[in-house]
Amino acid sequence: MVSFRRILGVVARQAFLYRRSFSRILDLFYWPTMDILLWGFLTLYLERGSFQPPRFVSFFLGALILWHLLYRSQLAVSVSFLEDIWSRNLLNVMVAPLSLAEYVLGLVLVSLIKVSLAFGIMSGLAGLFYGFNLFRLGLSLVPFVLSLLALGWSIGFVTMGLIFRFGQEAEILAWALIFVFLPLSAVFYPLEVLPDFLQKWAWFTPSAHVFEGMREVVTRGTFPAKHLLWAAGLNVVYLAFGIWFLYRQYEYARRNGLIPKIGE
């Protein structure tokens, strides 16, 4: 039976890491702030240029904030797992009376906390410096955010599974794997600018439907029901695969005695 107390124990363990680590705390605030400042100035330049930009340029920051949610949700799960490897604590976690489900749910809760902080920082700065309000998207924002979080966790689970299978050599995937989805997601440009064969692949990427749906809300003012249904259905598949893949690789590592060797 899943214990909420043990899940909170995983969260508390991660919180203790941040309590006395200035570099970890800085990481929570530094990159969201730098991203919103850099791309915010670029947006101002495009809007004040001599040409007439399309309407969705005004919401360029919205795409950036949503992409950051996806990136941070995946990174928080993967890096929180890596924290246990770097500190030589993974074996202790694995032999503790803690199931894999409880451990993963704890990492997901940590991810929610980190993503909420990043979202608050970026949304606040966008409104303060550039007068941009992401909440103009209305109720559409809720399924957009949930879809991106689900995809980020799915990628995080796959990353964890690969680290269980191949050891610490695969840790670079915690930062690299998510960027495979960046060109297919059409974050900063419409989907039709992609070549035809890439458009077909992008159609099966939940994030592409999220960003296409956001542009539909901005440019047409309509609720993107089709895109959100596609994103929800695909996320069910992605999450199921991510959980299955993580469990299979964990069992493989446990049977073959690989867990004590991870991080050596």
Side-chain angles (χ1 to χ4, degrees), residues 10-11 14 18 76 80 105-115:
V10 176
V11 177
Q14 292 293 324
Y18 282 82
S80 296
L105 287 173
L107 297 185
V108 167
L109 190 53
V110 171
S111 171
L112 277 174
I113 295 171
K114 290 183 177 180
V115 166

Side-chain angles (χ1 to χ4, degrees), residues 51-113:
F51 63 95
Q52 294 295 322
R55 185 180 174 188
F56 62 79
V57 168
S58 300
F59 292 85
F60 191 87
L61 289 178
L64 172 66
I65 295 172
L66 292 178
W67 167 255
H68 207 83
L69 289 180
L70 172 58
Y71 176 65
R72 281 283 165 176
S73 62
Q74 176 270 332
L75 192 67
V77 170
S78 303
V79 172
S80 296
F81 174 61
L82 285 171
E83 292 277 9
D84 283 321
I85 295 176
W86 295 332
S87 61
R88 303 293 193 270
N89 189 55
L90 181 62
L91 184 59
N92 296 329
V93 171
M94 293 295 105
V95 300
L98 180 74
S99 68
L100 181 63
E102 291 167 340
Y103 180 61
V104 170
L105 287 173
L107 297 185
V108 167
L109 190 53
V110 171
S111 171
L112 277 174
I113 295 171

Side-chain angles (χ1 to χ4, degrees), residues 8 66 72 102 106 124 148 152 169 199:
L8 289 180
L66 292 178
R72 281 283 165 176
E102 291 167 340
L148 292 175
E169 294 179 356
Q199 288 187 38

Side-chain angles (χ1 to χ4, degrees), residues 7-68:
I7 293 172
L8 289 180
V10 176
V11 177
R13 184 264 189 274
Q14 292 293 324
F16 290 145
L17 290 175
Y18 282 82
R19 189 175 61 175
R20 296 183 179 179
S21 176
F22 177 75
S23 61
R24 290 186 176 93
I25 295 175
L26 182 65
D27 181 66
L28 289 176
F29 298 94
Y30 179 79
W31 293 115
T33 301
M34 289 299 102
D35 282 344
I36 206 71
L37 291 177
L38 173 63
W39 294 104
F41 290 135
L42 175 61
T43 301
L44 290 179
Y45 166 73
L46 292 174
E47 289 186 334
R48 296 172 181 176
S50 58
F51 63 95
Q52 294 295 322
R55 185 180 174 188
F56 62 79
V57 168
S58 300
F59 292 85
F60 191 87
L61 289 178
L64 172 66
I65 295 172
L66 292 178
W67 167 255
H68 207 83

Side-chain angles (χ1 to χ4, degrees), residues 152-164:
W153 294 334
S154 303
I155 299 170
F157 298 157
V158 171
T159 303
M160 289 175 62
L162 291 171
I163 295 172
F164 271 124

Side-chain angles (χ1 to χ4, degrees), residues 144-216:
F144 287 165
V145 169
L146 292 177
S147 293
L148 292 175
L149 291 178
L151 177 59
W153 294 334
S154 303
I155 299 170
F157 298 157
V158 171
T159 303
M160 289 175 62
L162 291 171
I163 295 172
F164 271 124
R165 183 62 180 261
F166 299 107
Q168 202 169 353
E169 294 179 356
E171 71 175 40
I172 186 61
L173 295 175
W175 292 270
L177 190 58
I178 186 67
F179 286 98
V180 174
F181 290 81
L182 180 56
L184 294 175
S185 298
V187 179
F188 303 115
Y189 45 80
L191 196 61
E192 59 262 22
V193 306
L194 293 174
D196 290 339
F197 74 96
L198 284 181
Q199 288 187 38
K200 294 176 182 178
W201 281 101
W203 190 257
F204 296 98
T205 306
S207 49
H209 292 282
V210 170
F211 291 106
E212 280 294 290
M214 185 192 71
R215 277 185 285 272
E216 188 172 310

